[in-house]
Amino acid sequence: MPDLALVIRDISEEMAQRPDRGAVADYIPELAGIDPNQFGIAVIDGEGQVFTGGDSETPFSIQSVSKVFTLTLALGMVGDRLWRRVGREPSGNPFNSIVQLERERGVPRNPFINAGAIAVTDLILSGHEPREALGEILRFLQFLAQDPTIAIDERVAASEKRTGFRNTALANYMKSFGVIENPVDYTLGVYFHHCAIAMNCRQLATAGRFLAHNGRNPATGHSVVSAERARRINAIMLTCGHYDGSGEFAYRVGLPGKSGVGGGILAVAPGKASIAVWAPGLDTAGNSHLGRVALEQLTQRMGWSVFGV
Ligand code: GLU
């Protein structure tokens, strides 16, 4: 078995120096000023040993990685009824695409494209005030990461709200089909805020541990979801977690993973480890470029791909 600490050191050193860094997301003005020269990684193995490298303690905007946790929370609240509102097929389209929604009568392809995640947020919101729903999501992340200091970056949330024209269009379009129940402003307010939660790699890898261990956090013994549900969430991460780059991610990395336009990726090596990487520069599909490269090296060297060594 290769030495994980050494592998992470090698990867962190290489990623700090590589010239191909991708481009930071600039459609959310607050993210446009992030320094692309940063790179962080945290890996937590089955015994709870934490291995970190680079800027693993620097908080970043988790953006769409939050969709894994809102999906988990919504499934806990409404169970399989969720699948009446959202599909679970890869979209093969960009994360903020509108075309597919029209063809499919307002029902989003999966819970990880923006339209699907907005519909999931709307389910969590139903029967609650926006503040309560947001509090629920934030507390869930704090509980999973065992860290009550995790917070929302209000400037990022406000910045996205000011320029969230596409997401507003998606939400209004779904509302016209009855897929969104609450006032569009409320649903989007909660959505923008949960995307604006700031975490570092270590916190994110801790929060993802239940997905690597059959729904249970081995550190606390708490069962977060059933083993069956964890397996299914992982399946959706594998097929839909990187938008229209999901096939490439499966091909190169071979793990369930979810990316965000802040440059973070949460990846799950079932039975082995929970992994978070962060590099703010994105590829053309909106996924962290060096994050993917780092994960490809990690899975190859450790033999962790779910498809074999
Ligand atoms: N808050 C972002 C948006 O809705 C999330 C996109 C992403 O991280 O991929 O545009």
Side-chain angles (χ1 to χ4, degrees), residues 18 20 70 77 90 125 162 186 194 214 216 227 291:
R18 277 177 76 125
D20 55 325
T70 48
M77 291 164 97
L125 175 57
R162 267 199 309 281
Y186 285 15
H194 75 63
N214 298 317
R216 246 180 90 257

Side-chain angles (χ1 to χ4, degrees), residues 6 34 38 109 124 141 143 172 214 281 291 294 303 306:
L6 187 71
I34 307 277
Q38 303 176 87
R109 266 289 167 104
I124 297 175
L141 267 165
F143 162 74
N172 277 306
N214 298 317
V306 295

Side-chain angles (χ1 to χ4, degrees), residues 31-48:
L31 297 182
I34 307 277
D35 175 8
N37 293 310
Q38 303 176 87
F39 171 83
I41 182 166
V43 180
I44 309 184
D45 70 11
E47 280 75 54

Side-chain angles (χ1 to χ4, degrees), residues 27-28 63-64 67 95 114 160 167 191 195 243 259-262:
Y27 75 99
I28 301 175
Q63 291 296 319
S64 285
K67 297 173 183 175
F95 65 100
N114 284 10
E160 184 168 1
N167 286 324
Y191 171 78
C195 286
Y243 310 116
S259 72
V261 292

Side-chain angles (χ1 to χ4, degrees), residues 139-158:
R139 279 190 299 277
F140 186 50
L141 267 165
Q142 291 172 336
F143 162 74
L144 291 174
Q146 298 163 261
D147 191 336
T149 67
I150 291 167
I152 294 165
D153 185 331
E154 289 291 344
R155 279 177 316 175
V156 172

Side-chain angles (χ1 to χ4, degrees), residues 82-103:
L82 180 137
W83 303 117
R84 291 190 205 150
R85 291 262 198 111
V86 188
R88 41 177 194 259
E89 289 295 340
S91 72
N93 274 306
F95 65 100
N96 55 7
S97 170
I98 258 173
V99 217
Q100 204 161 42
L101 258 191
E102 173 157 29
R103 239 183 289 122

